[in-house]
Amino acid sequence: MFQLLFKYPEAAFARGHVILVGARPTWALGLAIVGVAAGLGLLMRWRMRHAAPSVRPWRAAVLWLLQASLAAVLLLLLWQPALAVSELKPQQNIVAVLVDDSQSMARNDDGQPRLTEAVNALQQGVLSALQQKFQVRLYRVDGGLSRVTQLGDLHPTAPATHLGDTLDQFAQDTADLPIGAVVLVSDGADNAGGLDASTVAALRARHLPVHTIGVGQVAVPNDLEIDDVQMPPRAMADSRLEATVRFHQQGYAGRTAVLTVRDGSRVLASRSITFGSDGAPEVATVLVPAGTAGSHVLDFSLPAQPNEQDTINNSVTRLVNVASDRRNILYVEGEPRWEYKFIRRAEDEDPMVRLASMLRTTQNKIYRQGVTGPAELADGFPTKPEDLFAYQGLIIGSVDSTYFTAAQLDLIRQFVDRRGGGLLLLGGRAALSDGGWGTSSLADLLPVTLPASRTTFHFDPATSELTPAGADSPITRLTDDSAANTQLWKKLPYLMDYQDAGTPKPGATVLADLLAGGRRLPLLITEQYGHGRTAVLATGGTWRWQMSLPVGDPTHDRFWQQLTRWLVTDTPGQVTVSVPQQVMLDEGHTAITADVRDKEFRPAADARVEAHLLGPGGLATRIDLAPVPDSPGTFRADWTATRPGSYLAEVVASRNGQELGRDVLTFQRMDGVAEQFHTGQNRELLTRLAEETGGRYWQTSDLSRLPSEIAYSDAGVSTQAVMDLWDMPAIFLILLLLKGAEWLLRRHWGVV
Amino acid sequence: MTWLPRRWVLLVTAGAIAGVFGLQAAAFQRFPGGYGGFGRFGRVPQPTAADAKHEFAWSRLQYTPVSRGYGGYGYRYRGGFGGSWSRDYPKADITFLAALRRLTRIDARSYQQVVTLDNDDIFNYPFVYAVQVQTWTFTPAQATRLREYLLKGGFLMVDDFHGTADWESFLNGMRMVLPADEYPITDLADNDEIFHVLYDIGKRFKVPGEQYVLTGRTYEKDGYVPKWRAIRDHKGRVIVAICHNMHLGDAWEWADSPDYPENFASMAFRVGIDYVMYSMTH
């Protein structure tokens, strides 16, 4: 219909632009239209006095508008409108047809494999039509890109699809070829995280339109799939990890299933899930005990549902490295108080955290506990970066900000910002606003804007309540069930005191509120700052939980252990190693990256970094990591795990013969799994790829116009075509409608 | 003999009665945290409402004492003001608190708090002081509450009981709270942390009661040797500090007396402050 009215296909208008090819200047057209419209207006005004009474002014205005429009269209035609569009030169350009032949293309949708659907669609005139105009090259797309001579060479056996990588490779390999357009035939089931911006940018730089042809069903019936599991790759021993499980299902809305987390045959955690509406993405969080030190392979699974064909995608594997090293926290307290005692007692129960504390017992005396020797903290709060940075977390209690020198305050800032440590400020008589922290140089470090008043601390009871964010937080989780956790907090004994912590800053997260004197104030607020994290707990009275709850109740100790572990878990060491994906599905290529810092946690750009790798089949090798340009302290090496199995990388950094630090990371390669995920057609990805590159998304049932539309491209060898628009049927239709409307109105109003 | 006019007699009688009742009312007037009282040298400072809210409150345990009758048989004495739990009260408490406030950074209330084992209010005061504990008795419910208090993190300091008989009587109550097999009583060593939290008082000497001023004796009953003892929890933390054959409370009470030796009072203050400091750190 579009082409019938407008003479040319929609793609021509989308990729071209309208010009006026007449000899007269464009401004003259506007002048002529205004002049004719004005002349018509004057003529009608002059004739009005002789007109019949039925010609009222507004009717005359309508008639003037119709006549002026007609004149404007006719004048426009005199200026010769045309469409300027780039058009591929016949037989001088290559159209690349990329066909996905990964295992997912072997799936049977509607009684035939997807690859058959794709081949049939191409063979029903599309390929031959393209070959009449262009040179056509066929490519196979799977984990990489390779050329094939005929469609019959395609066999859907490749274990993975990497659309982004493939298009990158295609753009590089064909840089010297006159590629006019790309036709990608795929189900969009990418296993490498989809397209990144650089891939699209590379295609756009060459003006290469990618026309995508989607095959396969968008929604796979009777299927349950875990899309992803997000959880920290590292944990402290005996801690609990929060795992976010994303999944979707089709055909099982309203059913209930149990999400189970296993380490080998041992069930670590489980929770019941009731499925929402079909096709809708859903999220469930589950707390997983990290267990003992070492590398753990965790399996997240949902049970197979009735009539479900693909059950491999019901489970996902993740790795977690549980550290055995003890974390160190420095706790500075300005006065003896019960909160100090009970925090210490809670931490005494945590074998993974050492709480070194310095308590001001008198004006000039400090009492130290938890220190490793006489020298630790002997001179009070550290003044050197290497002394403070030996800790992973810092707790400041009821201590006036003026107790610290300006240099020590700056050190605290660097501790959070540069070293990546955790800082927790407690409420107290000399804490937060009352301790002058709101006007200190560290005010911007805090997750709250403290009140201006210095009378914000109150020895009055306050109750506590979780916010929605707190209900699911691993810091405030006292029981696994989110709703039960919220109720549990409401029933906690009141806090012995509270403090007005002010207003949470944008980006901060309030995990719990306190209710006191009819007011609701933030109680526990957290925020990421720089490389580290900060938190405020606006009370010094949680000790009453311990004294008021029954003997053996774990609430107080659990809360403090979870809070302090949050403080230090993500605090990095001097060497931190990472890989893009710890579980690699049907591929082995990875990049081992190490972030190396000196004792003051400044980037150690001149370090020597090597990785020792252990893998299946007795693999033991060593590789050097090279500095990454423009990123001081970052080192990287590309490496390929050739066999499926578990790998261990120990990265050691040294400088001038002295070791700076080391870190260990495990990763795993699993084969035969990737294509069992994301089995439905990813129309969203295919549409986005087409739109962002100037192409179009096509369905296999409607490819007849693809050969003609694909010619409008300014890639490859193209010419600028100028196509007349004056003889478009739509123009004549408009003229007819304008004149016909005038005639009908005149008859209706009796004005001839 | 000249008889006074009848109205003068009535006036003097009424005044005397009013005076007696007025003094009693002042003496036993209830205020936040306990009762007013007298020391030998006059009235002790009275608390004010503005002084009510602090981090630390010195709490004294009001228990049900036993009064022994002839032949060694005891009977339960109805608890209340004037029982053995209130020996040296409140001047000893208030004088000690003055020292605690002066010498440390503890935000302490200037007057004491009386707690009982009949309700859960004791759980708001993790330090408790008890004297004359050879007379204490507990119902099973009270013993359970004190055991829970200690196991949750509370700290008990006992003082002012002397000799073998007092020790045995003390144990009668203590073993209702913490059984001997699980919570043995041990002597505190000079290098125990409790004697070094603030003041290093590894070497200590006996602190006698005020009777030393009158008699010159440093002991009472057969309690010749001071016993610094403790009961610990399963983590090795002292939860009951036992001051046997000594009288720290008297030393605090009479610290401002010109007759009471300064060295005894100083030792008592240092020990008391170290105990409080230990209870707030362990």
Side-chain angles (χ1 to χ4, degrees):
Chain A
M1 175 60 77
F2 187 91
Q3 197 164 349
L4 184 69
L5 286 174
F6 296 95
K7 187 179 171 186
Y8 307 110
E10 189 180 349
F13 286 89
R15 299 188 66 84
H17 59 278
V18 176
I19 58 173
L20 298 173
V21 296
R24 304 167 195 85
T26 305
W27 60 264
L29 172 62
L31 198 64
I33 290 173
V34 172
V36 169
L40 282 169
L42 289 172
L43 181 64
M44 291 184 74
R45 184 178 175 81
W46 181 69
R47 293 291 302 274
M48 275 289 285
R49 64 186 70 167
H50 307 294
S54 58
V55 182
R56 296 170 196 163
W58 69 270
R59 289 178 172 173
V62 171
L63 294 175
W64 169 82
L65 185 64
L66 290 169
Q67 289 182 354
S69 300
L70 182 73
V73 173
L74 290 172
L75 285 168
L76 178 65
L77 295 181
L78 288 176
W79 262 255
Q80 297 180 39
L83 184 66
V85 61
S86 293
E87 201 169 7
L88 296 174
K89 275 192 167 183
Q91 304 307 332
Q92 294 187 26
N93 286 282
I94 299 171
V95 170
V97 179
L98 281 57
V99 185
D100 184 351
D101 75 340
S102 61
Q103 287 176 358
S104 65
M105 292 294 282
R107 285 182 62 88
N108 267 308
D109 291 338
D110 299 327
Q112 64 176 351
R114 290 176 180 175
L115 186 61
T116 307
E117 179 190 352
V119 170
N120 289 344
L122 291 172
Q123 285 179 333
Q124 287 169 359
V126 176
L127 207 56
S128 58
L130 287 172
Q131 285 167 335
Q132 286 175 8
K133 291 184 175 181
F134 314 104
Q135 298 176 42
V136 176
R137 287 194 179 188
L138 286 174
Y139 291 89
R140 168 191 290 133
V141 174
D142 40 52
L145 180 76
S146 56
R147 202 172 157 192
V148 294
T149 54
Q150 55 184 355
L151 291 173
D153 295 339
L154 298 169
H155 303 289
T157 55
T161 315
H162 299 160
L163 290 181
D165 294 344
T166 303
L167 290 170
D168 266 342
Q169 185 187 346
F170 174 79
Q172 290 173 14
D173 292 353
T174 62
D176 300 330
L177 296 176
I179 303 294
V182 177
V183 177
L184 173 65
V185 188
S186 172
D187 55 10
D190 184 89
N191 316 119
L195 300 168
D196 56 26
S198 63
T199 302
V200 175
L203 296 168
R204 287 169 70 103
R206 289 183 60 189
H207 303 283
L208 259 181
V210 179
H211 293 263
T212 55
I213 301 175
V215 293
Q217 294 172 319
V218 174
V220 178
N222 296 331
D223 189 44
L224 170 63
E225 177 176 332
I226 296 180
D227 299 308
D228 189 21
V229 175
Q230 290 183 333
M231 62 182 293
R234 300 167 195 275
M236 295 171 62
D238 300 321
S239 62
R240 291 197 298 174
L241 298 165
E242 185 182 27
T244 303
V245 182
R246 300 179 191 282
F247 62 96
H248 72 273
Q249 55 76 33
Q250 194 75 34
Y252 304 113
R255 289 186 66 89
T256 300
V258 177
L259 172 65
T260 308
V261 186
R262 291 184 178 85
D263 183 359
S265 59
R266 194 160 56 96
V267 175
L268 298 180
S270 64
R271 64 165 293 185
S272 180
I273 291 170
T274 302
F275 298 136
S277 55
D278 286 346
E282 297 182 64
V283 177
T285 57
V286 60
L287 290 179
V288 184
T292 54
S295 177
H296 296 267
V297 180
L298 306 183
D299 178 65
F300 295 77
S301 63
L302 285 163
Q305 300 299 303
N307 302 320
E308 187 181 9
Q309 286 186 334
D310 297 325
T311 56
I312 293 178
N313 61 12
N314 290 22
S315 61
V316 162
T317 300
R318 288 291 179 269
L319 293 181
V320 61
N321 292 294
V322 180
S324 60
D325 58 318
R326 212 172 176 208
R327 298 303 176 106
N328 301 306
I329 295 176
L330 171 58
Y331 178 13
V332 187
E333 186 53 82
E335 58 179 304
R337 56 182 191 153
W338 298 119
E339 192 77 334
Y340 170 88
K341 163 186 177 148
F342 285 96
I343 291 173
R344 282 214 59 87
R345 289 170 70 99
E347 294 308 309
D348 281 347
E349 302 294 327
D350 189 345
M352 298 309 299
V353 171
R354 179 178 73 92
L355 188 69
S357 57
M358 48 176 285
L359 166 67
R360 293 186 72 197
T361 52
T362 72
Q363 202 64 19
N364 298 308
K365 280 190 175 181
I366 291 171
Y367 181 59
R368 294 171 292 152
Q369 287 177 277
V371 292
T372 53
E376 186 175 0
L377 301 172
D379 298 325
F381 191 82
T383 55
K384 298 176 184 172
E386 58 265 36
D387 292 339
L388 182 60
F389 293 180
Y391 302 96
Q392 284 87 32
L394 175 62
I395 301 174
I396 297 177
S398 183
V399 189
D400 197 288
S401 63
T402 56
Y403 176 68
F404 300 97
T405 64
Q408 286 173 325
L409 289 174
D410 186 58
L411 204 55
I412 294 173
R413 171 187 298 282
Q414 299 304 329
F415 174 79
V416 177
D417 190 10
R418 191 171 79 214
R419 191 257 182 275
L423 171 67
L424 168 64
L425 271 75
L426 308 178
R429 286 193 313 139
L432 305 181
S433 291
D434 298 12
W437 290 92
T439 53
S440 76
S441 61
L442 296 186
D444 67 308
L445 202 70
L446 308 182
V448 288
T449 302
L450 295 173
S453 165
R454 295 194 68 151
T455 56
T456 57
F457 182 73
H458 306 279
F459 277 115
D460 291 311
T463 55
S464 51
E465 275 190 15
L466 287 182
T467 62
D472 287 326
S473 168
I475 300 174
T476 45
R477 273 288 180 99
L478 300 177
T479 184
D480 286 356
D481 182 71
S482 176
N485 192 40
T486 302
Q487 291 304 314
L488 192 60
W489 272 77
K490 285 183 179 176
K491 293 175 183 171
L492 284 178
Y494 63 78
L495 302 161
M496 208 62 180
D497 53 55
Y498 73 94
Q499 191 158 12
D500 182 356
T503 311
K505 291 178 181 172
T509 304
V510 181
L511 300 179
D513 286 330
L514 60 83
L515 293 90
R519 291 198 300 166
R520 177 181 285 270
L521 300 168
L523 171 63
L524 177 57
I525 315 101
T526 63
E527 186 183 42
Q528 298 294 317
Y529 186 94
H531 287 91
R533 64 217 69 84
T534 60
V536 164
L537 180 66
T539 182
T542 63
W543 62 267
R544 194 172 176 278
W545 294 346
Q546 175 66 14
M547 288 301 289
S548 300
L549 291 168
V551 175
D553 185 284
T555 299
H556 173 271
D557 289 1
R558 178 173 293 172
F559 168 72
W560 274 103
Q561 287 164 10
Q562 290 176 171
L563 178 56
T564 51
R565 282 183 171 223
W566 169 84
L567 206 60
V568 297
T569 296
D570 292 335
T571 303
Q574 286 180 244
V575 176
T576 306
V577 60
S578 62
V579 292
Q581 289 177 317
Q582 278 190 279
V583 178
M584 300 180 293
L585 302 180
D586 292 275
E587 65 164 353
H589 178 261
T590 189
I592 300 171
T593 305
D595 187 42
V596 181
R597 306 275 168 155
D598 61 15
K599 281 188 177 178
E600 295 187 7
F601 279 80
R602 298 183 193 281
D606 56 345
R608 182 173 182 274
V609 186
E610 60 182 21
H612 301 270
L613 290 146
L614 300 176
L619 172 77
T621 186
R622 188 191 71 79
I623 56 173
D624 288 324
L625 276 69
V628 176
D630 302 326
S631 182
T634 305
F635 297 80
R636 185 175 298 155
D638 288 325
W639 191 71
T640 301
T642 54
R643 301 174 62 171
S646 294
Y647 293 81
L648 182 144
E650 183 179 36
V651 174
V652 182
S654 57
R655 184 162 64 180
N656 300 328
Q658 287 196 328
E659 183 176 311
L660 287 172
R662 61 179 62 208
D663 192 20
V664 175
L665 188 70
T666 55
F667 51 94
Q668 189 173 31
R669 173 177 172 161
M670 298 175 71
D671 283 3
V673 178
E675 289 294 313
Q676 306 301 322
F677 286 83
H678 315 301
T679 49
Q681 184 196 138
N682 191 346
R683 180 178 290 176
E684 185 271 335
L685 183 140
L686 296 174
T687 304
R688 184 162 58 86
L689 173 62
E691 287 178 349
E692 291 186 358
T693 57
R696 183 181 159 189
Y697 170 79
W698 301 82
Q699 292 182 334
T700 52
S701 57
D702 184 25
L703 293 175
S704 58
R705 288 177 290 115
L706 173 63
S708 57
E709 289 197 14
I710 207 169
Y712 300 110
S713 166
D714 49 3
V717 182
S718 59
T719 57
Q720 190 76 5
V722 178
M723 301 180 293
D724 286 336
L725 294 177
W726 69 269
D727 54 350
M728 283 194 306
I731 298 285
F732 294 101
L733 196 61
I734 290 170
L735 294 174
L736 197 63
L737 284 173
L738 289 171
K739 208 59 199 170
E742 183 188 350
W743 180 75
L744 283 173
L745 288 173
R746 282 175 179 272
R747 272 192 67 86
H748 182 65
W749 294 333
V751 182
V752 180
Chain B
M1 186 174 183
T2 306
W3 293 93
L4 288 171
R6 181 181 175 82
R7 66 173 181 273
W8 278 102
V9 172
L10 288 174
L11 199 61
V12 168
T13 305
I17 293 171
V20 168
F21 278 99
L23 283 173
Q24 283 186 334
F28 304 122
Q29 182 185 10
R30 185 72 189 255
F31 59 80
Y35 305 89
F38 291 95
R40 181 169 296 183
F41 297 104
R43 194 179 171 85
V44 296
Q46 289 295 304
T48 63
D51 192 32
K53 295 177 179 177
H54 291 274
E55 178 71 22
F56 178 81
W58 173 271
S59 50
R60 178 181 280 249
L61 183 64
Q62 179 185 13
Y63 54 82
T64 306
V66 165
S67 288
R68 294 191 182 281
Y70 295 104
Y73 295 99
Y75 61 90
R76 286 175 63 83
Y77 177 86
R78 187 175 180 279
F81 181 76
S84 52
W85 66 269
S86 62
R87 176 73 70 89
D88 314 321
Y89 169 94
K91 186 163 181 280
D93 313 59
I94 291 174
T95 310
F96 176 78
L97 282 168
L100 190 72
R101 287 158 61 97
R102 171 68 184 81
L103 297 171
T104 75
R105 286 179 61 83
I106 296 175
D107 173 39
R109 206 170 71 185
S110 61
Y111 59 92
Q112 72 294 334
Q113 174 74 33
V114 175
V115 294
T116 76
L117 293 169
D118 295 324
N119 58 56
D120 287 341
D121 191 43
I122 190 174
F123 294 114
N124 293 323
Y125 304 96
F127 178 95
V128 66
Y129 175 68
V131 297
Q132 292 279 293
V133 288
Q134 78 278 10
T135 69
W136 67 6
T137 62
F138 301 120
T139 65
Q142 289 173 329
T144 300
R145 183 170 279 118
L146 184 54
R147 176 166 60 250
E148 290 178 351
Y149 171 85
L150 295 172
L151 297 183
K152 288 178 184 178
F155 186 94
L156 169 65
M157 175 181 176
V158 295
D159 182 27
D160 186 19
F161 62 117
H162 310 268
T164 311
D166 282 7
W167 177 258
E168 294 302 323
S169 300
F170 158 72
L171 287 183
N172 289 339
M174 196 71 245
R175 289 314 176 199
M176 285 182 70
V177 178
L178 297 172
D181 54 346
E182 196 174 355
Y183 298 97
I185 296 173
T186 56
D187 288 325
L188 286 167
D190 290 348
N191 62 354
D192 196 288
E193 188 62 22
I194 200 168
F195 294 125
H196 303 276
V197 182
L198 182 61
Y199 297 112
D200 285 319
I201 45 176
K203 295 299 178 189
R204 298 166 305 283
F205 48 77
K206 184 180 176 75
V207 177
E210 188 256 354
Q211 43 81 25
Y212 172 81
V213 175
L214 302 174
T215 66
R217 277 190 291 112
T218 60
Y219 62 91
E220 297 177 46
K221 303 176 186 174
D222 61 343
Y224 307 113
V225 180
K227 298 291 184 184
W228 309 87
R229 290 174 165 163
I231 300 175
R232 299 173 189 270
D233 65 10
H234 296 314
K235 292 278 183 180
R237 295 174 295 224
V238 174
I239 55 176
V240 182
I242 302 165
C243 300
H244 181 222
N245 294 340
M246 64 190 86
H247 196 164
L248 303 183
D250 247 8
W252 301 331
E253 185 184 13
W254 302 108
D256 58 353
S257 166
D259 299 326
Y260 191 78
E262 179 275 335
N263 58 332
F264 293 149
S266 295
M267 175 59 72
F269 279 121
R270 288 200 293 270
V271 170
I273 289 174
D274 263 359
Y275 280 14
V276 169
M277 202 63 83
Y278 182 90
S279 78
M280 298 187 82
T281 53
H282 288 77

